[in-house]
Amino acid sequence: MRKIAASGKSRRDKKSSKTPKPRRGKKSVAIRKNLSQKNPAKKNPAQKNPARKNRARKNLAQHPALAGRRPPPPGHGKRGESGYLGYLLRQAQAAARLAMERALAELGVTPPQFVVLTMLKAYPGLSGADLARVALLTPQTVGVIIRNLERAGSIRKTPHPVHGRVLMWSLTRNGLALLGQCRRHVLALERRLAAGLTVKTQTTVRRWLARLAMDLTEG
């Protein structure tokens, strides 16, 4: 019994003689504290030198672009006569599309739907693929538009006389009436687009735009 007790006591003595390990949390805090003392945060030179700060403010006053000045509105700078033709065409198209969206919002018609209705009035019997080409839309977008217009009773489909799997689309009476309402709303926009242009100038612009589309498509 004495031997067993002695051995147990010696084991306890060995365990107690071991040095306790420091906790990781305290050690990491101490390391971070030492690093912060060795590498203090650098101060902004402008804070140390008021003269440098004043010079920076003066440069911003002389060059507003450095202070984050907003770009000019349409018609000025590169958004005006000194801009690139491609950008100016895109800018005008975006502005016209936005104006058309506002004009057709009262009728619940979108500009792509208006284009599809217009093309079917001009060329009845177009297929979905042909509509996508003339309306300048993707086939997926035209597919959604066709389903919505058909559900609303604005267009109807007929099978192709030769290729039965090809569907031909045309306007219904409701579609013609809806297109007439849309045109009355869009007519004001057409007048704004042609404002200040003579009939001869309008013809020149139309020819230039049409020729531009043909040349770029063929090229």
Side-chain angles (χ1 to χ4, degrees):
M1 293 293 292
R2 291 180 180 178
K3 291 182 180 181
I4 295 174
S7 62
K9 184 178 181 180
S10 61
R11 289 176 182 174
R12 288 194 297 271
D13 293 340
K14 288 181 180 180
K15 290 181 179 180
S16 61
S17 61
K18 293 181 179 180
T19 57
K21 295 182 179 179
R23 295 182 180 180
R24 294 183 179 180
K26 294 182 179 180
K27 186 177 180 180
S28 60
V29 171
I31 293 174
R32 287 197 297 268
K33 187 176 181 180
N34 293 334
L35 290 176
S36 62
Q37 292 176 356
K38 292 180 181 180
N39 300 319
K42 294 182 179 180
K43 294 184 178 180
N44 190 351
Q47 296 177 355
K48 292 183 178 180
N49 192 346
R52 182 179 297 181
K53 189 175 182 180
N54 293 334
R55 286 197 299 269
R57 290 180 177 176
K58 187 176 180 180
N59 291 334
L60 291 178
Q62 293 176 352
H63 304 283
L66 299 178
R69 185 177 179 180
R70 299 186 64 182
H76 300 273
K78 284 296 182 180
R79 305 187 70 186
E81 295 180 2
S82 61
Y84 297 100
L85 284 176
Y87 175 80
L88 295 178
L89 283 172
R90 181 178 177 83
Q91 179 178 245
Q93 192 273 340
R97 180 186 174 91
L98 180 59
M100 185 178 294
E101 286 179 355
R102 294 171 178 171
L104 297 174
E106 182 180 346
L107 300 174
V109 178
T110 64
Q113 291 175 338
F114 173 68
V115 172
V116 169
L117 292 173
T118 302
M119 291 297 105
L120 287 180
K121 174 66 167 57
Y123 312 106
L126 291 178
S127 64
D130 293 333
L131 267 176
R133 281 190 289 270
V134 297
L136 307 177
L137 300 170
T138 63
Q140 293 80 6
T141 302
V142 170
V144 174
I145 293 174
I146 284 176
R147 287 193 295 271
N148 292 335
L149 292 178
E150 183 185 20
R151 191 180 301 115
S154 300
I155 61 175
R156 61 172 177 267
K157 60 186 175 183
T158 55
H160 195 277
V162 178
H163 307 285
R165 298 181 62 180
V166 177
L167 298 178
M168 303 168 59
W169 297 94
S170 58
L171 297 179
T172 62
R173 286 187 178 181
N174 293 337
L176 288 171
L178 178 60
L179 179 58
Q181 294 176 353
C182 293
R183 282 182 172 175
R184 284 191 291 272
H185 282 71
V186 176
L187 186 61
L189 174 60
E190 285 287 325
R191 286 195 293 265
R192 290 179 61 186
L193 292 175
L197 300 178
T198 62
V199 176
K200 184 177 180 180
T201 304
Q202 291 185 40
T203 303
T204 303
V205 172
R206 293 175 190 274
R207 287 177 180 173
W208 175 70
L209 291 173
R211 187 180 71 251
L212 189 64
M214 290 188 298
D215 293 344
L216 292 178
T217 302
E218 295 175 356

